[in-house]
């Protein structure tokens, strides 16, 4: 197990270098001169463009820019935006909010999704099963911004129960609705995944054996059935955290959450390579680490899985 | 529930209006008592994260520009109704030849750090902005001043490896401090409109402390001389401002605290406005304008104000196909502006009928004779031009909502002239501007012009004079240049405007661009505030705000 983890951690290094370079290159090849549209409907003065080009090494070839960036990054310095703000500060301010939001969303989808999945998986074709099927179909069909605007209008404007936009830094209660919006589609998937998995394993040999042994139903479901059925669900939830963090841009915009979504969007549009890479690098790391955790959870859930 | 809430709102505003009307003869104090506690009032308005630190000469975008407008007062200010500027920090601005200006300052106006605003604060700030190694985005505003070319050197090969030579001088020879409250400005060539320009944010004074620290540091905790001072700035979240009690000029604010909350989405701001968490939104989102939804939502808290900005379609005259003025006239006459403003903008914009904006001093209403919809005239002009072969493509940047009206323009022209024309989007504003700056546009393209300062000169010099800073289509008419020069050289504004009007008559014959619509701004307020006015550029006029 130890060697396995070390090997997996070492794999992170080439993945890390590869992704950062790819992203840097992609941003660099986005068409458009970063200073062409900066001064509105007139060209920027020469001296401004000169000072900026020199400061950000924009006249250097791509690989030189990338190496300068990596050199600073290894010293813990993410660099500066074109506006002169430190990217370290920016990340420190924005990331915690996005992480908070992603975890609320994850909690919502795990709690509601799993409960619905387990209940319907055990009692198929009942009223509850049909209700969950229809409502998850509905949620999957709705894009996030529709759910977002609708709930914001209903709770924030019409009923006045919540503030339409959150304060900074947002509290967990304020993030409940945004978290629900962000997690709603995944929640539907989790419910359906759990339902299928439970229903399938319900008729498996080991479950029948457990029931035949006379184990109480609670134990059969809680220990034997659930543990085995959770593997696909955990895989989904684990990788979904990364997707939730990266995909929060719409939700963050609707509820005015100061997260990374806005910064990534702004940086891509203005061709600020350093900002995009810095933010995405952390996302990549989260993604890789979550994958590793999920893989290790398999071994805990299913004794048959061993890592060498 | 919704109905009752609105009914209550209408009732309160009606009551406020009644009280205000009843007290109009009794002086201001009564209205204050009837309303809320204005002197300690705090409001929240919408904004966006400034792109760069808050240094007046380095800010060109609206997010930071708004804060700078609040925090600074210039030599002159522009009245809300768009009329000619009034002296603010300046006591007087005198000239006999439109070349040498003697500027006297009011004594006793202060920066927020308590130091007095003196002549050298203006001179030093302008020299700093013009000095090219400082990289100020607004440096070109100082190009009128004698000695500018010594401090601001262009890149010799325009874009590339060769570095611009170090400027010869650090200060412009045209700026001279006489004493603490007087300084003179000598221009390179006479320019009658110069005093009007002085209210633009590039000309704001900077306190002594600016020159002792890095501009970036100053920009994070700026010190101005305006009616409100800086308190704090949380990136992407909010900027807090508070009343500057030692402010002595006319536009004092009555309320105490102002929070500028930064939004990513205007729809989020609109939800906050509707629920009373935001007191002013400068531009209501497009989604709420459809079917006049915003008027039903906001009632009499909806404000529709004209702003000095015009939507234009410009011709790339450097392209041989567009050199014929009759062809350009034919296209202009074939656009049904009324229908476009009604159907696409729901009446939120007005059809253009003059070359400058109607709010601009010196503009003559209706002087754009090619702005009317005249299918017969259009066909005749096209015949005179010898027709048009091939495809005409109208370009716009697709990252803002221009698709609908540009397509409507193309359709209108197609219906009237029967030529092969369509509209095409270019993905981002940056790519779009890159093509325009490089003079590589293959067809007429969308442009917009919002005046920098209220004078008709700003609608001619940059746009239609040979070599003008935004004359992107390379239009050139020696007679226009000559008339413009005579106008700027005349010693009084009236005479200048007369010359500019003659120049516009020639421009009207040449049709280098097509004015399409005049912009209006749709704003909204909460029921917490009253008497809200907007400035000449559509920003909230903080001095007008009272708590209801």
């Amino acid at each position: 197990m130890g060697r396995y983890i070390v090997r997996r951690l070492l794999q992170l290094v080439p993945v890390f270098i590869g992704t950062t370079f790819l992203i840097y290159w992609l941003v660099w090849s986005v068409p458009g001169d970063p200073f062409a549209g900066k001064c509105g409907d007139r060209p920027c003065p020469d001296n401004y463009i000169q000072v900026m080009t020199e400061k950000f090494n924009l006249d250097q070839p791509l690989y030189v820019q990338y190496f300068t960036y990596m050199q600073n990054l290894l010293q813990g310095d993410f660099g500066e935006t074109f506006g002169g703000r430190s990217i370290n500060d920016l990340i420190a301010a924005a990331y915690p909010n996005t992480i908070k939001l992603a975890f609320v969303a994850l909690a919502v989808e795990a709690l509601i999704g799993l409960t619905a999945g387990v209940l319907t998986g055990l009692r198929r074709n009942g009223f509850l099963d049909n209700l969950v099927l229809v409502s998850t179909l509905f949620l999957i069909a709705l894009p996030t911004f529709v759910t977002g605007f609708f709930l914001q209008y209903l709770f924030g404007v019409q009923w006045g129960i919540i503030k339409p936009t959150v304060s900074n830094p947002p509290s967990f209660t304020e993030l409940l609705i945004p978290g629900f919006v962000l997690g709603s589609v995944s929640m539907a998937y989790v419910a359906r995944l759990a339902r299928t998995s439970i229903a399938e394993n319900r008729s498996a040999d080991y479950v029948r054996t457990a029931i035949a042994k006379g184990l109480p139903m609670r134990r059969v479901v809680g220990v034997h059935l659930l543990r085995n059925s959770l593997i696909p669900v955990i895989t989904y939830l684990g990788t979904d955290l990364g997707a939730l963090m990266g995909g929060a841009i719409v939700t963050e915009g609707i509820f005015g959450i100061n997260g990374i979504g806005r910064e990534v969007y702004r940086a891509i549009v203005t061709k600020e390579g350093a900002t995009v890479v810095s933010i995405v690098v952390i996302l990549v790391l989260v993604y890789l680490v979550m994958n590793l955790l999920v893989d290790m959870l398999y071994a805990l859930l299913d004794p048959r899985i061993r890592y060498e | 529930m919704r109905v009752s809430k609105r009914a209550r709102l209408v009732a309160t505003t009606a009551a406020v209006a009644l009280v205000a009307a009843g007290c109009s003869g009794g002086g201001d104090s009564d209205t204050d008592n009837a309303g809320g506690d204005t002197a300690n009032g705090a409001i929240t308005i919408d904004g966006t994260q400034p792109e760069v630190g808050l240094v007046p000469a380095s800010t060109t975008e609206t997010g930071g520009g708004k804060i700078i407008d609040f925090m600074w007062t210039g030599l002159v200010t522009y009245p809300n109704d768009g009329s000619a500027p009034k002296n603010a920090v300046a006591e007087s601005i005198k000239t006999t030849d439109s070349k040498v200006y003697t500027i006297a300052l009011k004594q006793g106006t202060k920066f927020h750090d308590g130091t007095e605003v003196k002549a050298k604060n203006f001179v030093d700030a302008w020299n700093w902005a013009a000095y090219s190694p400082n990289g100020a985005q607004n440096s070109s505003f100082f190009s009128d001043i004698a000695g500018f070319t010594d401090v601001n050197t262009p890149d010799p090969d325009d874009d590339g490896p060769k570095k611009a030579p170090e400027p010869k001088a650090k200060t412009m020879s045209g700026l001279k401090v006489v004493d603490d409250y007087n300084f003179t400005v000598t221009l390179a060539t006479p320019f009658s409109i110069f005093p009007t320009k002085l209210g633009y944010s590039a000309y704001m004074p900077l306190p002594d402390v600016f020159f002792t620290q890095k501009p970036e540091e100053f920009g994070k905790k700026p010190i101005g001389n305006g009616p409100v001072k800086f308190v704090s700035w949380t990136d992407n979240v909010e900027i807090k401002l508070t009343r500057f009690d030692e402010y002595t000029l006319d536009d004092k604010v009555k309320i105490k605290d102002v929070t500028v909350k930064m939004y990513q989405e205007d729809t989020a701001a609109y939800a906050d406005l509707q629920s009373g968490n935001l007191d002013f939104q400068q531009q209501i989102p497009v989604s709420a304008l459809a079917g006049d939804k915003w008027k039903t939502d906001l009632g009499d808290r909806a404000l529709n104000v004209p702003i000095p900005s015009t939507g234009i379609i410009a011709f790339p005259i450097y392209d041989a196909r567009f050199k014929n003025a009759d062809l350009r006239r034919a296209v202009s006459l074939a656009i049904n502006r009324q229908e476009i403003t009604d159907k696409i903008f729901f009446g939120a914009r007005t059809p253009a009928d003059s070359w400058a904006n109607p709010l601009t001093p010196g503009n003559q209403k209706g002087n754009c004779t090619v702005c009317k919809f005249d299918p017969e005239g259009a066909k005749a002009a096209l015949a005179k031009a010898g027709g048009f072969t091939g495809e005409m493509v109208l370009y716009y940047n697709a990252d803002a909502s221009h698709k609908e009206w540009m397509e409507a323009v193309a359709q209108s022209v197609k219906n009237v002239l029967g030529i092969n024309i369509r509209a095409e989007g270019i993905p981002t504003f940056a790519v779009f501007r890159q093509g325009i700056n490089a003079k590589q546009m293959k067809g007429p393209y969308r442009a917009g012009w919002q005046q920098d300062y209220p004078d008709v000169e700003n609608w001619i010099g940059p746009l239609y004079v040979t070599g003008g800073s935004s004359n992107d289509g390379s239009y050139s008419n020696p007679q226009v240049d000559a008339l413009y020069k005579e106008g700027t050289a005349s010693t009084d504004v009236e005479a200048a405007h007369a010359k500019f009007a003659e120049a516009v008559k020639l421009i009207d014959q040449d049709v280098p661009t097509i004015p399409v619509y005049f912009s209006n701004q749709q704003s909204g307020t909460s029921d917490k505030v009253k008497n809200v006015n907007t400035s000449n550029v559509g920003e909230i006029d903080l001095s007008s705000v009272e708590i209801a």
Side-chain angles (χ1 to χ4, degrees):
Chain A
M1 190 76 169
R3 277 182 58 191
Y4 174 76
I5 295 176
V6 171
R7 210 169 62 216
R8 283 289 298 264
L9 285 177
L10 280 178
Q11 280 174 4
L12 294 187
V13 177
V15 175
F16 178 79
I17 295 175
T19 42
T20 48
F21 183 75
L22 266 181
I23 298 162
Y24 209 102
W25 174 69
L26 281 174
V27 176
W28 182 81
S29 35
V30 169
D33 172 350
F35 305 116
K38 260 241 143 53
C39 302
D41 275 309
R42 74 174 96 217
C44 285
D46 274 359
N47 57 335
Y48 166 73
I49 297 174
Q50 267 174 48
V51 169
M52 294 299 280
T53 308
E54 246 168 74
K55 190 170 168 195
F56 290 94
N57 299 317
L58 297 175
D59 45 353
Q60 306 283 343
L62 170 66
Y63 63 91
V64 177
Q65 288 184 39
Y66 175 73
F67 277 119
T68 332
Y69 170 74
M70 282 310 266
Q71 227 168 15
N72 294 332
L73 184 64
L74 291 177
Q75 292 160 7
D77 176 13
F78 283 107
E80 250 183 33
T81 66
F82 286 160
R85 287 155 65 208
S86 140
I87 300 178
N88 292 46
D89 292 352
L90 192 150
I91 287 177
Y95 250 103
N97 296 337
T98 299
I99 292 175
K100 244 195 231 177
L101 176 65
F103 272 104
V104 172
L106 199 69
V108 167
E109 70 178 78
L111 270 178
I112 305 182
L114 264 184
T115 316
V118 171
L119 288 180
T120 54
L122 290 175
R123 288 206 194 109
R124 272 190 297 170
N125 301 325
F127 168 73
L128 190 68
D129 190 19
N130 283 318
L131 182 76
V132 169
L133 270 181
V134 172
S135 53
T136 51
L137 196 67
F138 188 65
L139 276 182
I140 291 171
L142 281 181
T144 318
F145 65 86
V146 175
T147 344
F149 281 132
F150 178 70
L151 291 184
Q152 181 186 48
Y153 185 73
L154 200 67
F155 287 94
V157 179
Q158 195 79 288
W159 295 343
I161 303 173
I162 60 162
K163 278 191 183 178
T165 56
V166 304
S167 46
N168 185 71
S171 63
F172 273 104
T173 35
E174 279 178 324
L175 286 177
L176 276 180
I177 299 286
F180 179 84
V181 169
L182 179 61
S184 60
V185 175
S186 300
M187 180 175 85
Y189 282 119
V190 168
R192 295 199 144 199
L193 209 57
R195 175 185 176 275
T196 323
S197 188
I198 295 256
E200 222 169 69
N201 289 335
R202 182 91 165 81
S203 49
D205 290 347
Y206 68 89
V207 175
R208 267 190 298 169
T209 315
I211 296 174
K213 270 202 302 189
L215 284 181
M217 204 53 194
R218 237 183 36 217
R219 213 175 143 69
V220 174
V221 175
V223 178
H224 296 272
L225 183 56
L226 208 54
R227 217 168 117 171
N228 273 294
S229 309
L230 275 185
I231 289 184
V233 181
I234 293 284
T235 317
Y236 183 81
L237 285 177
T239 48
D240 202 37
L241 183 69
L244 287 177
M245 287 174 61
I249 176 164
V250 174
T251 317
E252 287 177 358
I254 294 174
F255 295 98
I257 300 166
N258 176 25
I260 56 165
R262 133 161 61 186
E263 284 304 330
V264 175
Y265 176 75
R266 188 191 58 79
I268 293 176
V269 172
T270 53
K271 286 195 67 164
E272 279 181 23
T275 315
V276 182
V277 179
S278 305
I279 292 172
V280 180
V281 154
I282 298 181
L283 273 183
V284 170
L285 283 180
V286 171
Y287 214 78
L288 294 174
V289 170
M290 281 313 285
N291 262 321
L292 180 59
L293 281 179
V294 168
D295 284 352
M296 282 156 55
L297 268 179
Y298 285 170
L300 285 180
L301 289 170
D302 189 342
R304 285 170 300 180
I305 299 174
R306 290 266 178 276
Y307 293 118
E308 292 305 324
Chain B
M1 186 140 194
R2 195 167 156 206
V3 175
S4 66
K5 201 170 165 187
R6 189 173 307 133
R8 195 184 68 215
L9 197 145
V10 171
T12 5
T13 23
V16 169
L18 281 176
V19 172
C23 292
S24 59
D28 285 352
S29 56
D30 287 349
T31 18
D32 281 347
N33 292 341
D37 186 2
T38 298
N40 288 310
I43 62 163
T44 306
I45 63 174
D46 74 323
T48 50
Q49 163 83 7
E51 281 175 18
V52 292
L54 295 167
V55 177
S58 299
T59 294
T60 50
E61 41 80 46
T62 50
K66 172 149 65 180
I67 312 288
I68 284 173
D69 289 346
F70 295 155
M71 281 187 57
W72 263 274
T73 303
L75 292 166
V76 301
T77 55
Y78 305 133
N80 291 344
D81 59 5
S83 55
K86 292 192 167 71
N87 285 346
V89 176
E91 179 71 49
S92 65
I93 302 177
K94 288 184 188 134
T95 183
T96 49
D97 55 2
S98 292
K99 190 163 193 267
V100 181
Y101 288 88
T102 312
I103 298 171
L105 306 184
K106 290 199 175 91
Q107 302 195 7
T109 67
K110 280 183 178 159
F111 283 110
H112 302 150
D113 63 356
T115 56
E116 198 175 0
V117 181
K118 292 180 177 166
K120 73 168 166 35
N121 295 106
F122 282 96
V123 171
D124 291 352
W126 297 2
N127 276 326
W128 181 86
Y131 187 60
S132 55
N134 290 329
Q137 287 190 29
N138 281 327
S139 55
S140 55
F141 275 90
F142 301 94
S143 58
D144 302 329
I145 299 172
F148 176 77
T149 45
D150 292 338
V151 298
N152 197 297
T153 44
D155 195 342
D157 52 354
D158 207 41
D159 169 42
K162 233 190 278 172
K163 267 191 195 170
E166 184 86 354
K168 276 190 279 184
K170 286 211 147 186
T171 55
M172 290 179 277
S173 57
L175 294 179
K176 291 240 158 44
V177 177
V178 177
D179 57 38
D180 277 357
Y181 305 106
N182 290 285
F183 69 105
T184 60
V185 183
T186 309
L187 304 182
T189 49
F191 188 59
S192 52
I193 308 301
F194 186 69
T196 303
K197 289 174 90 169
L198 296 175
Y200 187 70
S201 59
Y203 296 97
M204 297 299 154
L206 291 171
D208 294 345
V209 65
F210 173 84
F211 303 97
T212 61
Q213 60 190 130
K214 280 190 173 167
E216 303 91 75
E217 281 161 29
F218 178 88
K220 282 172 194 156
K221 285 193 76 170
I223 296 166
N225 66 333
V228 290
K229 62 180 177 185
F230 180 85
V231 178
S232 66
W233 176 358
T234 317
D235 280 328
N236 288 335
V237 179
E238 62 188 14
I239 289 181
K240 283 182 177 290
L241 305 167
T242 189
R243 182 175 58 213
F244 178 48
D245 287 321
E246 292 171 71
Y247 191 71
T248 52
L249 299 172
D250 289 342
D251 55 334
K252 287 192 188 93
V253 295
K254 304 183 192 99
I255 45 164
K256 190 158 187 295
D257 296 309
V258 179
T259 303
V260 183
K261 190 170 171 185
M262 298 164 196
Y263 290 92
Q264 312 163 52
E265 300 287 340
D266 51 4
T267 49
Y270 189 61
D272 266 350
L273 181 74
Q274 282 176 284
S275 59
N277 292 308
L278 183 72
D279 297 314
F280 178 79
Q281 182 174 20
Q282 191 172 332
Q283 179 60 57
I284 303 291
V286 182
S287 56
L289 297 182
D292 273 344
K293 180 177 175 296
W294 68 296
K295 285 189 183 155
T296 351
D297 284 345
L298 298 174
D300 54 5
R301 297 181 292 145
L303 308 172
N304 195 354
V305 285
I307 49 169
S309 165
T310 301
I312 293 172
I313 294 177
F315 284 100
I317 299 177
Y318 45 81
D319 182 331
R321 293 180 302 157
F322 301 105
K323 283 214 188 314
N324 192 319
D326 286 316
L327 170 74
R328 302 196 294 261
R329 180 176 304 112
V331 175
S332 183
L333 288 171
I335 301 171
N336 191 341
R337 293 170 177 77
Q338 188 67 49
E339 197 172 64
I340 291 170
T341 51
D342 285 349
K343 298 239 169 89
I344 309 272
F345 297 121
F346 311 103
R349 294 177 190 182
T350 16
D353 65 354
S354 59
W355 285 92
N357 195 277
L359 295 176
T360 312
N363 175 56
Q364 289 182 342
K365 203 174 152 27
N367 66 4
C368 178
T369 62
V370 294
C371 287
K372 59 180 187 287
F373 178 52
D374 176 7
E376 293 316 311
K379 281 178 200 147
L382 183 68
K384 202 173 157 201
F388 183 83
T389 43
E391 185 181 46
M392 193 187 291
V393 184
L394 306 178
Y395 293 97
Y396 58 91
N397 53 311
D399 55 357
S401 38
H402 297 301
K403 183 177 173 24
E404 290 79 8
W405 75 267
M406 286 297 284
E407 281 182 346
V409 166
Q411 195 55 47
S412 183
V413 174
K414 189 176 204 154
N415 290 346
V416 172
L417 298 180
I419 59 173
N420 189 4
I421 179 171
R422 67 185 170 89
E424 185 180 307
I426 294 179
T428 63
F429 184 63
V431 181
F432 181 63
R433 278 306 307 183
Q434 205 175 0
I436 294 172
N437 293 350
K439 303 204 188 291
Q440 283 170 347
M441 298 306 276
K442 300 263 178 286
Y445 51 90
R446 177 205 80 81
W449 189 252
Q450 167 145 359
Q451 70 190 17
D452 302 308
Y453 43 89
D455 194 277
V456 66
E457 184 277 326
N458 193 232
W459 293 84
I460 301 172
L463 294 173
Y464 304 119
V465 170
T466 310
S469 64
S470 291
N471 184 354
D472 299 318
S474 297
Y475 168 69
S476 177
N477 180 339
Q479 279 174 287
V480 171
D481 294 355
L483 283 167
Y484 171 76
K485 215 165 178 183
E486 284 172 38
T488 53
S490 60
T491 46
D492 74 301
V493 174
E494 293 299 314
H497 285 175
K499 288 288 175 196
F500 293 148
E502 281 180 54
V504 167
K505 279 206 180 98
L506 295 174
I507 295 170
D508 188 53
Q509 290 303 307
D510 289 344
V511 204
T513 67
I514 305 174
V516 180
Y517 62 78
F518 297 138
S519 298
N520 271 33
Q521 175 178 291
Q522 294 75 34
S523 312
T525 66
S526 73
D527 49 6
K528 194 178 116 187
V529 293
K530 60 177 183 183
N531 292 345
V532 177
N533 287 329
T534 52
S535 74
N536 72 321
V537 288
E539 287 161 0
I540 185 170
D541 173 9
L542 290 178
S543 67
S544 70
V545 181
E546 287 173 44
I547 303 296

